[in-house]
Coordinates of all heavy atoms in Angstrom, one line a residue:
A273 N 133.1 -147.3 -112.9 CA 132.6 -146.1 -112.1 C 133.3 -144.9 -112.5 O 132.7 -143.8 -112.6 CB 132.9 -146.5 -110.6
I274 N 134.6 -144.9 -112.7 CA 135.4 -143.7 -113.1 C 134.9 -143.2 -114.5 O 134.7 -142.0 -114.7 CB 136.9 -144.0 -113.1 CG1 137.4 -144.3 -111.7 CG2 137.7 -142.9 -113.8 CD1 138.9 -144.8 -111.6
G275 N 134.7 -144.2 -115.4 CA 134.3 -143.8 -116.7 C 132.9 -143.2 -116.7 O 132.7 -142.1 -117.4
L276 N 132.0 -143.7 -115.9 CA 130.6 -143.1 -115.8 C 130.7 -141.8 -115.2 O 130.0 -140.8 -115.6 CB 129.7 -144.1 -115.0 CG 129.3 -145.4 -115.8 CD1 128.6 -146.3 -114.8 CD2 128.5 -145.1 -117.0
G277 N 131.6 -141.6 -114.2 CA 131.7 -140.3 -113.5 C 132.2 -139.3 -114.4 O 131.8 -138.1 -114.4
L278 N 133.2 -139.6 -115.2 CA 133.8 -138.7 -116.2 C 132.8 -138.3 -117.3 O 132.7 -137.2 -117.7 CB 135.1 -139.3 -116.8 CG 136.3 -139.4 -115.9 CD1 137.4 -140.2 -116.6 CD2 136.8 -138.1 -115.4
A279 N 132.0 -139.3 -117.7 CA 131.0 -139.0 -118.7 C 129.9 -138.1 -118.1 O 129.5 -137.1 -118.8 CB 130.3 -140.3 -119.2
A280 N 129.5 -138.3 -116.9 CA 128.6 -137.4 -116.3 C 129.1 -136.0 -116.1 O 128.4 -135.0 -116.4 CB 128.1 -138.0 -114.9
L281 N 130.4 -135.9 -115.7 CA 131.0 -134.6 -115.5 C 131.1 -133.9 -116.9 O 130.8 -132.7 -117.0 CB 132.4 -134.8 -114.9 CG 133.2 -133.5 -114.7 CD1 132.5 -132.5 -113.8 CD2 134.6 -133.8 -114.2
A282 N 131.4 -134.6 -117.9 CA 131.5 -134.0 -119.3 C 130.2 -133.5 -119.7 O 130.1 -132.4 -120.3 CB 132.1 -135.0 -120.3
S283 N 129.1 -134.3 -119.4 CA 127.8 -133.8 -119.8 C 127.4 -132.6 -119.1 O 126.8 -131.7 -119.7 CB 126.8 -135.0 -119.5 OG 127.1 -136.1 -120.3
V284 N 127.6 -132.5 -117.8 CA 127.2 -131.3 -117.0 C 128.0 -130.1 -117.5 O 127.5 -129.0 -117.6 CB 127.5 -131.6 -115.5 CG1 127.3 -130.3 -114.7 CG2 126.5 -132.7 -115.0
T285 N 129.3 -130.3 -117.8 CA 130.1 -129.2 -118.3 C 129.7 -128.7 -119.6 O 129.6 -127.5 -119.9 CB 131.6 -129.7 -118.4 OG1 132.1 -130.1 -117.1 CG2 132.5 -128.6 -118.9
L286 N 129.3 -129.6 -120.5 CA 128.8 -129.3 -121.8 C 127.5 -128.4 -121.7 O 127.4 -127.4 -122.4 CB 128.5 -130.5 -122.7 CG 128.0 -130.3 -124.1 CD1 129.1 -129.5 -124.9 CD2 127.8 -131.6 -124.8
V287 N 126.6 -128.9 -120.8 CA 125.3 -128.2 -120.6 C 125.6 -126.8 -120.1 O 125.0 -125.8 -120.6 CB 124.4 -128.9 -119.7 CG1 123.2 -128.0 -119.3 CG2 123.9 -130.2 -120.3
A288 N 126.5 -126.7 -119.1 CA 126.8 -125.4 -118.5 C 127.5 -124.4 -119.5 O 127.1 -123.2 -119.6 CB 127.7 -125.5 -117.3
C289 N 128.4 -124.9 -120.3 CA 129.1 -124.1 -121.3 C 128.1 -123.6 -122.4 O 128.2 -122.5 -122.8 CB 130.2 -124.9 -121.9 SG 131.6 -125.2 -120.8
A290 N 127.2 -124.5 -122.8 CA 126.2 -124.2 -123.9 C 125.3 -123.1 -123.3 O 124.9 -122.2 -124.0 CB 125.5 -125.4 -124.3
D291 N 124.9 -123.2 -122.1 CA 124.0 -122.2 -121.5 C 124.7 -120.9 -121.4 O 124.1 -119.8 -121.7 CB 123.6 -122.7 -120.1 CG 122.4 -123.6 -120.1 OD1 121.8 -123.8 -121.1 OD2 122.2 -124.3 -119.1
R292 N 125.9 -120.8 -121.0 CA 126.7 -119.6 -120.9 C 126.8 -118.9 -122.3 O 126.7 -117.7 -122.5 CB 128.0 -119.8 -120.3 CG 128.0 -119.9 -118.8 CD 129.3 -119.7 -118.2 NE 130.3 -120.6 -118.6 CZ 130.6 -121.8 -118.0 NH1 129.9 -122.2 -117.0 NH2 131.5 -122.6 -118.5
A293 N 127.1 -119.8 -123.3 CA 127.3 -119.3 -124.7 C 125.9 -118.7 -125.2 O 125.9 -117.6 -125.8 CB 127.7 -120.4 -125.6
C294 N 124.8 -119.3 -124.9 CA 123.5 -118.8 -125.3 C 123.2 -117.5 -124.6 O 122.7 -116.6 -125.2 CB 122.4 -119.8 -125.0 SG 122.4 -121.3 -126.1
A295 N 123.5 -117.4 -123.3 CA 123.3 -116.2 -122.5 C 124.1 -115.0 -123.1 O 123.6 -113.9 -123.2 CB 123.6 -116.4 -121.1
R296 N 125.4 -115.3 -123.4 CA 126.2 -114.2 -124.0 C 125.6 -113.7 -125.3 O 125.6 -112.5 -125.6 CB 127.6 -114.7 -124.1 CG 128.4 -114.8 -122.8 CD 129.9 -114.9 -123.1 NE 130.2 -116.1 -123.8 CZ 130.5 -117.3 -123.3 NH1 130.6 -117.4 -121.9 NH2 130.8 -118.3 -124.0
A297 N 125.2 -114.7 -126.2 CA 124.7 -114.3 -127.5 C 123.4 -113.5 -127.4 O 123.1 -112.7 -128.2 CB 124.5 -115.6 -128.3
A298 N 122.6 -113.8 -126.4 CA 121.3 -113.2 -126.2 C 121.4 -111.9 -125.5 O 120.4 -111.1 -125.5 CB 120.4 -114.1 -125.5
N299 N 122.5 -111.6 -124.9 CA 122.6 -110.4 -124.1 C 122.3 -109.1 -124.9 O 123.0 -108.8 -125.8 CB 124.0 -110.3 -123.5 CG 124.1 -109.1 -122.5 OD1 123.2 -108.7 -121.8 ND2 125.3 -108.5 -122.4
G300 N 121.2 -108.4 -124.5 CA 120.9 -107.2 -125.2 C 120.2 -107.3 -126.6 O 120.0 -106.3 -127.3
R301 N 120.0 -108.6 -127.0 CA 119.4 -108.8 -128.3 C 118.1 -109.5 -128.3 O 117.5 -109.8 -129.4 CB 120.4 -109.7 -129.1 CG 121.7 -109.0 -129.5 CD 122.6 -109.9 -130.3 NE 123.7 -109.0 -130.9 CZ 123.6 -108.4 -132.0 NH1 122.5 -108.5 -132.8 NH2 124.6 -107.7 -132.5
V302 N 117.5 -109.7 -127.2 CA 116.1 -110.3 -127.1 C 115.2 -109.2 -126.6 O 115.3 -108.6 -125.6 CB 116.1 -111.5 -126.1 CG1 114.7 -112.1 -126.0 CG2 117.1 -112.6 -126.6
F303 N 114.1 -109.1 -127.4 CA 113.1 -108.0 -127.1 C 111.7 -108.7 -126.9 O 111.4 -109.7 -127.5 CB 113.0 -107.0 -128.2 CG 114.2 -106.2 -128.5 CD1 115.3 -106.8 -129.2 CD2 114.4 -105.0 -127.9 CE1 116.4 -106.1 -129.4 CE2 115.6 -104.3 -128.1 CZ 116.6 -104.8 -128.9
R304 N 111.0 -108.2 -126.0 CA 109.7 -108.8 -125.6 C 108.5 -107.9 -125.8 O 107.4 -108.3 -125.7 CB 109.7 -109.2 -124.1 CG 110.8 -110.3 -123.8 CD 111.2 -110.4 -122.4 NE 112.4 -111.2 -122.2 CZ 113.6 -110.8 -122.3 NH1 113.9 -109.6 -122.6 NH2 114.6 -111.7 -122.2
S305 N 108.8 -106.6 -126.2 CA 107.7 -105.7 -126.4 C 107.8 -105.2 -127.9 O 108.8 -104.9 -128.4 CB 107.9 -104.4 -125.5 OG 107.1 -103.4 -125.9
V306 N 106.6 -105.3 -128.5 CA 106.5 -104.9 -129.9 C 107.0 -103.4 -130.1 O 107.7 -103.0 -131.0 CB 105.1 -105.1 -130.5 CG1 105.0 -104.5 -131.9 CG2 104.8 -106.6 -130.5
D307 N 106.5 -102.6 -129.1 CA 106.8 -101.1 -129.2 C 108.3 -100.9 -129.1 O 108.8 -99.9 -129.8 CB 106.1 -100.4 -128.1 CG 104.6 -100.4 -128.2 OD1 104.2 -100.5 -129.4 OD2 103.9 -100.2 -127.2
K308 N 109.0 -101.7 -128.4 CA 110.5 -101.4 -128.2 C 111.3 -102.2 -129.2 O 112.6 -102.0 -129.2 CB 110.9 -101.8 -126.7 CG 110.2 -101.0 -125.7 CD 110.7 -101.4 -124.3 CE 110.0 -100.6 -123.2 NZ 110.4 -101.0 -121.8
M309 N 110.7 -102.9 -130.0 CA 111.4 -103.8 -131.0 C 112.0 -102.9 -132.1 O 111.3 -102.2 -132.8 CB 110.5 -104.8 -131.6 CG 111.1 -105.8 -132.5 SD 112.0 -107.0 -131.5 CE 113.2 -107.7 -132.7
P310 N 113.3 -103.0 -132.4 CA 113.9 -102.2 -133.5 C 113.3 -102.8 -134.8 O 113.0 -104.0 -134.9 CB 115.4 -102.5 -133.4 CG 115.6 -102.9 -132.0 CD 114.4 -103.6 -131.6
A311 N 113.1 -102.0 -135.8 CA 112.6 -102.4 -137.1 C 113.7 -103.0 -137.9 O 114.8 -102.5 -138.0 CB 112.0 -101.2 -137.8
R312 N 113.4 -104.1 -138.6 CA 114.2 -104.7 -139.6 C 113.4 -105.2 -140.7 O 112.2 -105.4 -140.6 CB 115.0 -105.9 -139.0 CG 116.1 -105.4 -138.0 CD 117.2 -106.4 -137.8 NE 118.3 -105.8 -137.1 CZ 119.4 -106.4 -136.8 NH1 119.6 -107.7 -137.1 NH2 120.4 -105.8 -136.1
E313 N 114.0 -105.4 -141.9 CA 113.3 -105.7 -143.1 C 112.6 -107.1 -143.0 O 111.5 -107.3 -143.4 CB 114.2 -105.6 -144.3 CG 113.5 -105.9 -145.6 CD 112.5 -104.9 -146.0 OE1 112.6 -103.7 -145.5 OE2 111.6 -105.2 -146.7
V314 N 113.4 -108.1 -142.5 CA 112.9 -109.5 -142.6 C 112.9 -110.1 -141.2 O 113.8 -109.9 -140.4 CB 113.9 -110.3 -143.5 CG1 113.4 -111.8 -143.5 CG2 113.9 -109.8 -144.9
G315 N 111.8 -110.8 -141.0 CA 111.7 -111.6 -139.7 C 111.8 -113.1 -140.1 O 111.1 -113.6 -141.0
L316 N 112.6 -113.8 -139.4 CA 112.8 -115.3 -139.6 C 111.9 -116.0 -138.5 O 112.2 -116.0 -137.3 CB 114.2 -115.7 -139.4 CG 114.6 -117.2 -139.4 CD1 114.1 -117.9 -140.7 CD2 116.1 -117.4 -139.1
V317 N 110.8 -116.6 -139.0 CA 110.0 -117.4 -138.0 C 110.4 -118.8 -138.0 O 110.4 -119.5 -139.0 CB 108.5 -117.3 -138.5 CG1 107.6 -117.9 -137.4 CG2 108.1 -115.9 -138.8

């Protein structure tokens, strides 16, 4: 029971940390309007 509880806690912590890291990386760098999109030479699809 303790092992399963720790595994579940580790999983939840990992998900939360990954979400925060993604949010920080995306802050101010995601655009949704073509008109407001800065121009760059290459787009990676």
Side-chain angles (χ1 to χ4, degrees):
I274 292 173
L276 289 172
L278 290 174
L281 179 61
S283 297
V284 171
T285 302
L286 181 61
V287 169
C289 290
D291 278 345
R292 283 199 298 272
C294 285
R296 287 195 296 268
N299 186 32
R301 289 184 169 270
V302 179
F303 297 83
R304 298 162 187 85
S305 167
V306 173
D307 291 337
K308 295 180 180 179
M309 187 76 201
R312 289 205 169 179
E313 183 64 26
V314 179
L316 170 62
V317 188

